[in-house]
Structures are given as structure tokens and as C-alpha cells.
Amino acid sequence: MKIAGLDIGTTGCKCTVFDETGCELDKAYCNYPIKRKTGSHEIDAKALLESVYLVIGKMSALYPDIAGIGVTSFGETFVMLDENDEPLAPAMLYTDPRGDKECRELVDKLGLKHIAEITGVTAHEMYGLPKIMWQKRNNPDIFKRVKRILQMEDYVVYSLTGNAVIDYSLATRFMAFDISTLDFSDELLSAAGIDRSLFSKPVPTGTNAGKIRPQVSQELGLSKDCQIIAISQDQVAAAIGAGAFSPDIAVDGAGTVQCLTPVFDGIPDIDKMMPGKYVIVPYIFKDKYVTYAFSYTGGALIQWATDSLAKDEKFKAKEQGILVNEYLENEYNSKRIADLLDTDGPSGMLVLPHFAGAATPYMDTGSKGAIVGLTLDSSVAEIYRGCMEGVCYEMYINYRNVVAAGAKIKRLHATGGGAHSTTWMQMKADVLGVPISALSTVDAGTVGSAMMTGIALSCFSDIEDAANHMIKVKQIYEPRKHYHTEYMEVFSRYENLYNALRPLV
């Protein structure tokens, strides 16, 4: 018997197959285009679904005994279906600017804090409800034909099974879900003028949505008994796959986006969460919640530095048979030693990592990146190092904020490509002053999805059993107090950087 995790991202989807013990066997990936124009950011939901079918079909051709597929996806983006389950319009991405006016109208009606108390989110046009209002107002003829409004997880689950269910974590991304009652809010939907019958049934993370439809099983080469499991938003799946099951462990998602995901006992203080725009999301355990504290450019900033600045260094690294990242780290260390400086301490350079806008605690898409402290002697390796430090400083701002809001973090579990960098992991441990365990898996979201699928199919008895099979610690990085002190001296300057530069850009 095999189990699979399906991870649906903004630009592509991946299906990973595991055996019944949690050992990864194979995976398939397919990307799809997104359209970004002035005034609109959209994705073709039908093309996304075709890609999903393609990766599932590739894996089922090799592993026809797949017994269950867990589905996780990115949030906010929704598709409107007609009575024949055909998309009526392109799906609006969370970055789409439309819905701002409608969001302000909701805030005027209900109040910013009241909306946050109900939904766990600070009102913003990125969420689904204001965008649905925009569609109803600006495309009335199309909206009259809408029979279902689904995010990508429940769209895929519905297509595979015919059952429309959405897990709690993704339901919150509509800004219309009550995190206390775990159901859609009549008050929010009434204020927005949207019928609740359009939405899928909210269910707990890891709910079995049912067997795959016979026609689809035949098309994809799957057993007619294959079960489809509604998992969660990708960050919740990553928290599960990283083993963050209690408030003392948080996730360091060191991927393209840098995300810190702590766990809370009970609903945290709204007044302490709202200033940083931190969401409150129901988790897999009763009365436990998570939040997302993130920067749009984590690994993306490091990639920018190597692609845009390190062209000669890439060539030299190739000659030496090493990665450009390793080459730059070696160059940085050599120059520091020549200058009689400590290789592990802060460079002193300040890099504001807002190269794709600012996420929490600012949620300011207009903010821009900056590199401060350049001299004629500055090297690409030093800028590269400064980019790593900038991500860490931004992470520390978020860490400090969520701890003030009640997070009790004693250890981080790191996943994603950045978890393979010993330099970056040690730097994070030193900056935050918290031990970091780098996990062997890069794709924690897929692992978390497979874990919940394995539980639903009785491969694992419970979450702890699943974790024992599928989560492995590769290396532990302990914080070093003297370096933490040195980093905090630089951080005291960094934390003023955003306010100093924002009026200029």
C-alpha cells in the first residue's frame, strides 16, 4: 500500500509517494502560469487542475496501489464554478489588489477589531471575502451563475470526490470563518451580502473526504477505493511535517519565503496579534492554534544575490566543483581572516529584505529592499552574507513579537532548502538565541500531508506514531551567547531601518 501527499503551490504542484512506513519513494512536479498585470494577478484554475491530474497520473502509473492522497494548498485564491462545475472567471491570487474598497466597507460596518475577534485575521484585501464582494459588484452577470466558491484545496478535493469540504485552516483565509465556532460567520457573510451555501463544508484538518469518483479513478489509473484526504493550508501542513505539536516547538520554514510558525494553547490575545497582522489559525489539536510570521524573501533573497551578483563566482564555483553558496561563504571567511576579523560574527552590513514587499509585521507591499553599509571594498560575498543576516534580523522582529503575544518557543525545527546551510542555520540560532534542529526533509508540507493521510488510512496510529516514522533530525544548532550579543548590537540599528527608509521609496 502507498500513500501520497499532493502539495498545490502558487506556480506548480507536486505529488510525492510514500510507502506505508513513511519512506519516500518518488515524486512528480508540474508548473502552471500565473498572469500578473497592473490591477490584476490571476491563475487559471482549470490549468491548475489539469496539472494536478498530470502529476497524480504520473505517480499512479508507477504506483497503482496508492491507497490515499492528502491534498494541501496555498490559501486565499478561490475559483467560482457554475452549475456544470466549470470555472466562470480566472482565480484571483492573494496578491491581486482588487477588493481594497470592499475590505474597507466591511471594516466600516463591523470594525477592525471585531472582524479580527471573529475570524482571527486582520482585515485585508488579500483575503477571499472582499474579492468575492468585488466580483459580485463588478461582474454581476457572471456572479448570478455562481454555484460554488472553492479555494484550491477544496476545488481539487471536490473534483476528485464530488464532495465539497474545506479544512479549518484554509477556511480562515476567506476572512469569513469564525475560529471559535469553527464555522462560517453569518455576521460576516451578511455584512458582505454573500450566501453561505456557496462555500464548502468546513472540516478538521486530515478529514477523509471520501473515495475517488469512479470516472476519475479510471482516468488517473487509481484504485476505485483510493481515499482523498482534505489536509490544510500549506503552512499548517509544513508545521505538521516539521513536528511542531506543542507551544515549545515552532517551525522555521526556510524556503523561498521565510516563515516562522509557532503553536499557541488557546486563542492568543487579539490586541497583541493585530498590530503585527498575525493571523490565528485552528490547528490539528483541539484548542490549539498557529500563526504565520513571515518574510516574502527568505531563500528568494539568497537566490537573488547568487543569480544577480555572483556571476563570476558561479563560474569559479563550477570550476572547483562546489555550489556557488559554498564558494561565497569561503570567500567571505577568507577576507575576514585576512582582515583579522571573526568569521562567525555579524558583518555589520544592513540588508532590508523587502525585495518583494514587506510581510509581517508590516504587510506593506510598497516597501522596497535596501543594502546599507556598502564601501568600495565591499565584495559580493559580503553582500551575500548581509542578505542572510537581513533575513535573520527580520525573523527576529517577528520572533520577538509572537513571544510578546504569548508564544512559548524553546526550540525551532527547520525545514526547506535553507535548512541545508550550516552557516545560515547557525546564524539563525545565534540571532534568535534559540536552538534549531535542522530536519532531513526539505518539503515538510508534503510530509505533513502524507502523515495525516497515513493516519486517516490507519498506517499510523496517531500523530506521534506518524512523526516517529517520517520526521528525522539531521543536525542541532545551539545558540552561542557571545555571538547573540554581537548580533543584537547590529540589530539595534537594523530595527530602525524600515521606518527610516520607507518615506524615501
Side-chain angles (χ1 to χ4, degrees):
M1 182 175 71
K2 309 297 186 300
I3 56 177
L6 177 66
D7 189 354
I8 304 165
T10 310
T11 58
C13 59
K14 180 191 301 178
C15 183
T16 307
V17 178
F18 303 81
D19 67 19
E20 64 273 13
T21 68
C23 179
E24 182 178 323
L25 300 175
D26 209 342
K27 57 189 169 188
Y29 177 83
C30 182
N31 57 16
Y32 30 78
I34 58 177
K35 298 177 181 178
R36 295 186 189 271
K37 299 183 294 184
T38 301
S40 68
H41 298 167
E42 298 173 334
I43 189 169
D44 183 340
K46 198 165 186 178
L48 180 150
L49 186 62
E50 289 171 357
S51 297
V52 164
Y53 276 37
L54 179 64
V55 295
I56 293 176
K58 283 183 176 180
M59 288 296 92
S60 65
L62 298 173
Y63 307 98
D65 58 338
I66 293 175
I69 302 173
V71 183
T72 182
S73 79
F74 65 104
E76 294 88 39
T77 300
F78 61 87
V79 59
M80 302 183 298
L81 302 184
D82 64 13
E83 61 183 6
N84 298 314
D85 295 332
E86 290 293 323
L88 287 164
M92 302 162 73
L93 290 169
Y94 62 93
T95 54
D96 192 301
R98 290 171 290 182
D100 176 64
K101 178 181 177 182
E102 289 74 14
C103 186
R104 284 186 273 111
E105 289 175 1
L106 285 174
V107 172
D108 289 342
K109 283 183 181 180
L110 300 178
L112 190 67
K113 183 176 180 181
H114 187 54
I115 292 174
E117 288 173 336
I118 295 171
T119 66
V121 304
T122 301
H124 194 278
E125 66 268 18
M126 71 181 287
Y127 297 112
L129 190 60
K131 286 178 165 48
I132 295 170
M133 293 169 63
W134 186 95
Q135 289 282 12
K136 182 179 181 180
R137 175 174 292 168
N138 292 276
N139 297 308
D141 292 338
I142 290 177
F143 201 82
K144 287 177 183 177
R145 298 166 54 199
V146 176
K147 297 301 178 184
R148 294 185 185 277
I149 296 177
L150 311 172
Q151 290 189 45
M152 296 304 104
E153 176 209 44
D154 48 324
Y155 175 48
V156 170
V157 168
Y158 177 64
S159 175
L160 294 173
T161 66
N163 298 322
V165 296
I166 184 170
D167 100 289
Y168 297 153
S169 69
L170 277 166
T172 64
R173 311 313 286 178
F174 276 116
M175 202 180 90
F177 185 76
D178 190 323
I179 60 171
S180 297
T181 65
L182 300 178
D183 199 358
F184 285 105
S185 165
D186 289 328
E187 185 177 4
L188 262 297
L189 293 176
S190 176
I194 304 300
D195 189 339
R196 73 152 48 224
S197 66
L198 298 174
F199 298 96
S200 299
K201 177 184 176 182
V203 295
T205 293
T207 293
N208 191 334
K211 292 182 181 180
I212 193 168
R213 291 190 292 171
Q215 180 181 348
V216 178
S217 71
Q218 187 174 5
E219 178 183 348
L220 297 180
L222 290 165
S223 164
K224 60 182 176 59
D225 294 320
C226 181
Q227 309 287 319
I228 306 301
I229 315 301
I231 304 298
S232 64
Q233 187 175 5
D234 46 12
Q235 293 296 349
V236 166
I240 297 167
F245 305 141
S246 58
D248 60 324
I249 297 175
V251 182
D252 166 24
T256 302
V257 170
Q258 172 66 53
C259 187
L260 176 68
T261 308
V263 180
F264 292 88
D265 277 328
I267 297 177
D269 189 333
I270 291 290
D271 290 326
K272 293 180 179 178
M273 298 290 280
M274 281 182 62
K277 287 80 173 176
Y278 299 111
V279 301
I280 303 171
V281 181
Y283 197 35
I284 55 173
F285 305 105
K286 181 178 173 57
D287 296 326
K288 279 190 170 55
Y289 298 80
V290 297
T291 194
Y292 313 136
F294 63 104
S295 171
Y296 291 129
T297 50
L301 183 59
I302 309 307
Q303 189 71 40
W304 170 83
T306 56
D307 288 349
S308 300
L309 304 178
K311 299 184 186 300
D312 289 343
E313 289 77 7
K314 275 190 173 182
F315 178 75
K316 293 175 181 177
K318 187 175 181 181
E319 285 186 329
Q320 296 181 19
I322 60 176
L323 295 174
V324 65
N325 308 73
E326 183 180 350
Y327 180 87
L328 289 169
E329 289 169 9
N330 292 340
E331 284 290 293
Y332 175 83
N333 291 341
S334 296
K335 188 174 186 300
R336 295 281 287 190
I337 291 170
D339 293 339
L340 303 179
L341 296 172
D342 190 341
T343 58
D344 285 352
S347 69
M349 190 172 291
L350 300 179
V351 178
L352 189 68
H354 296 175
F355 285 52
T360 57
Y362 314 106
M363 295 308 294
D364 179 3
T365 56
S367 184
K368 301 292 191 295
I371 302 174
V372 178
L374 292 171
T375 71
L376 292 175
D377 190 45
S378 296
S379 66
V380 173
E382 286 173 306
I383 296 172
Y384 171 82
R385 174 81 177 203
C387 288
M388 296 173 75
E389 292 175 354
V391 173
C392 291
Y393 292 141
E394 195 80 349
M395 188 180 179
Y396 184 72
I397 287 176
N398 281 297
Y399 168 80
R400 189 176 59 178
N401 287 351
V402 297
V403 168
K408 297 176 173 59
I409 302 170
K410 295 182 180 178
R411 178 177 296 276
L412 295 179
H413 284 185
T415 68
H420 294 306
S421 171
T422 57
T423 298
W424 208 8
M425 287 296 101
Q426 186 61 61
M427 185 189 296
K428 286 181 178 179
D430 291 340
V431 172
L432 271 65
V434 177
I436 299 181
S437 297
L439 305 183
S440 58
T441 179
V442 171
D443 192 355
T446 301
V447 169
S449 181
M451 286 168 61
M452 297 303 291
T453 302
I455 294 169
L457 298 182
S458 299
C459 294
F460 311 123
S461 58
D462 54 27
I463 194 68
E464 294 294 340
D465 184 31
N468 288 335
H469 280 85
M470 300 190 68
I471 300 175
K472 307 297 180 186
V473 173
K474 183 176 65 174
Q475 189 169 346
I476 298 174
Y477 299 88
E478 295 290 344
R480 298 171 295 184
K481 290 184 179 180
H482 61 291
Y483 286 124
H484 176 72
T485 300
E486 290 182 20
Y487 276 116
M488 288 303 97
E489 290 175 0
V490 180
F491 176 77
S492 66
R493 301 194 300 276
Y494 174 87
E495 63 180 333
N496 298 315
L497 200 57
Y498 170 79
N499 289 328
L501 295 177
R502 188 63 182 96
L504 306 177
V505 293

